[in-house]
Structures are given as structure tokens and as C-alpha cells.
Amino acid sequence: RILENFPQTQIFVVDDGSVDNSVEICKKYEVNLIELSQNYGKGKALQIGFEAALNQKFKFAFSIDSDLQHEPEDFAKFIQKQNEVDADMVIGNRTFSIEKMPFMRILSNRITSGIVSLASGNKIYDSQSGYRLYSLQKMENMKFKSTRYQFETEIILKFAKTDGKFAFVPIKTIYDGQKSYISHFRDIKDFVKIILNKRKI
């Protein structure tokens, strides 16, 4: 489905220690495949993918998770919004409802989005959304501390600190009971640490 929007040369897949047949699938479709020797975490995988895109002189990059909670058909919305407002980061904003997602996951998103909004000085509607369009030039000289899910919070704070412009587009809420790893104690602790240390970011 991604190939219907972009050619193989513009698709970067980071294999972060997967144990299924992901590598074989990527090789079959001849996309840019980056194989990591072990599981480093989502944040590290994103950073490695962005660095590879920068090295090939790309100016923007999408991030899209591989768990089928994002629809590649929405790419056009992000591009249109970026063109309209010249945003440095366009975030997919999900519409949450108790019919589609467990209450505790909705509550987690509301709380973290509220905290990130306060910390960044920008209204962030969906801080946990992994479906985003980034300006690669904006992050070219940035250094990151996070290697796991907290990277997506850290990069919002870094963009905000450098007067980055944020925009949002509505995307579908697709949830089939997947486990939310942000509920792990370690991830929550690291999230709080990033917020408390935002001045050092």
C-alpha cells in the first residue's frame, strides 16, 4: 500500500531485531532495508531511518508504524497540510471513542498530550501518534537521548524549542486490541524524566 504512494527508492524500512519474515518481504519489494543486529527500540530505529534519508538528501520523511494502525492512503493529507502552512512537523490526530479503544488507553493519551502541550508551549492533540511528517532539515543537527517510545515526545520538545511549527491532520482510529507498550513502568518513568528535564533538551 505504501508503494502505491512512493517508489521503492523513497521507502526506508528499519528492521529493529524482528523475528518474523519482515526482512524477506522487504527484500522482495526492493526497498531501502536497514537491518539492526538487535532490538534497540522505536526511537533508535526512527533516528537511524532519518539519518539514512538525510544522507540521501531527502528534505522530509514520514514515519508510519508497521502494525496496520495507520493508513498509507492518508499520506496526501499530510503533504497538503505541510504545503498549506509550511509546518516542520505534521502529526496524525486520531479521534478517540470508547467504542474503538479501551478507556485507559484514551486516558493515557489525553494525559500525556496535555503534559506535552504544557511542556512544549504548543497545543499537541495526539502526542502518542506515530504517524507523522517531519522536516529532516529541522532535525539535522539535533542530538537525542531517547531510544524507545519517548523519542516521539523528545522530538516534539526539541522542535518546539527551536520554534518549530506544528500542524495536525485527522486520521482514523484503527485499534484491534494491540498492546500499548507505553503502559510499561520503564516507559512511563522515562516519559516523566524527559518532561522534567526538558530544559536540557
Side-chain angles (χ1 to χ4, degrees):
R1 291 164 65 187
I2 295 176
L3 284 166
E4 294 176 4
N5 295 269
F6 298 101
Q8 293 100 321
T9 55
Q10 295 183 16
I11 300 173
F12 293 77
V13 179
V14 182
D15 171 30
D16 189 34
S18 63
V19 294
D20 55 17
N21 63 334
S22 297
V23 170
E24 287 73 19
I25 294 173
C26 292
K27 289 179 178 178
K28 174 184 176 181
Y29 288 99
E30 300 181 336
V31 299
N32 294 287
L33 175 63
I34 303 169
E35 295 182 71
L36 304 184
S37 59
Q38 65 186 71
N39 179 263
Y40 288 96
K42 181 180 182 180
K44 187 65 174 179
L46 285 169
Q47 292 171 54
I48 290 172
F50 293 149
E51 183 178 357
L54 271 167
N55 288 339
Q56 293 196 29
K57 308 302 181 183
F58 287 100
K59 294 182 178 180
F60 291 90
F62 278 101
S63 63
I64 183 168
D65 295 342
S66 58
D67 58 4
L68 301 181
Q69 289 196 42
H70 301 151
E71 293 194 332
E73 291 76 16
D74 286 335
F75 282 136
K77 294 181 183 178
F78 289 78
I79 296 172
Q80 181 179 354
K81 177 62 70 172
Q82 198 287 324
N83 289 336
E84 289 174 354
V85 302
D86 194 26
D88 297 298
M89 185 187 301
V90 183
I91 303 175
N93 181 28
R94 295 165 291 180
T95 301
F96 296 105
S97 67
I98 197 68
E99 292 83 12
K100 294 183 177 181
M101 188 175 290
F103 172 75
M104 291 306 297
R105 189 162 186 182
I106 295 174
L107 180 63
S108 169
N109 187 279
R110 294 302 185 205
I111 292 173
T112 54
S113 295
I115 293 172
V116 173
S117 295
L118 289 172
S120 67
N122 292 267
K123 178 61 178 178
I124 305 298
Y125 295 96
D126 190 352
S127 68
Q128 294 179 28
S129 174
Y131 199 177
R132 301 178 179 183
L133 175 62
Y134 293 94
S135 166
L136 290 172
Q137 293 175 313
K138 187 73 173 176
M139 69 174 79
E140 191 166 6
N141 297 313
M142 290 181 177
K143 304 296 182 184
F144 301 98
K145 298 178 180 178
S146 306
T147 60
R148 297 178 62 81
Y149 289 87
Q150 301 75 30
F151 170 80
E152 290 169 326
T153 296
E154 182 181 357
I155 197 169
I156 288 176
L157 298 180
K158 282 187 180 292
F159 270 45
K161 192 173 183 178
T162 56
D163 297 320
K165 187 172 184 179
F166 298 90
F168 303 86
V169 293
I171 59 174
K172 290 182 179 179
T173 303
I174 304 173
Y175 180 77
D176 295 316
Q178 293 93 336
K179 188 175 183 180
S180 176
Y181 291 96
I182 199 170
S183 64
H184 287 182
F185 175 75
R186 177 178 57 186
D187 291 330
I188 295 173
K189 180 185 69 174
D190 290 345
F191 171 80
V192 172
K193 187 186 298 183
I194 289 173
I195 296 298
L196 293 177
N197 293 304
K198 71 183 184 72
R199 290 184 179 180
K200 299 179 182 179
I201 290 177

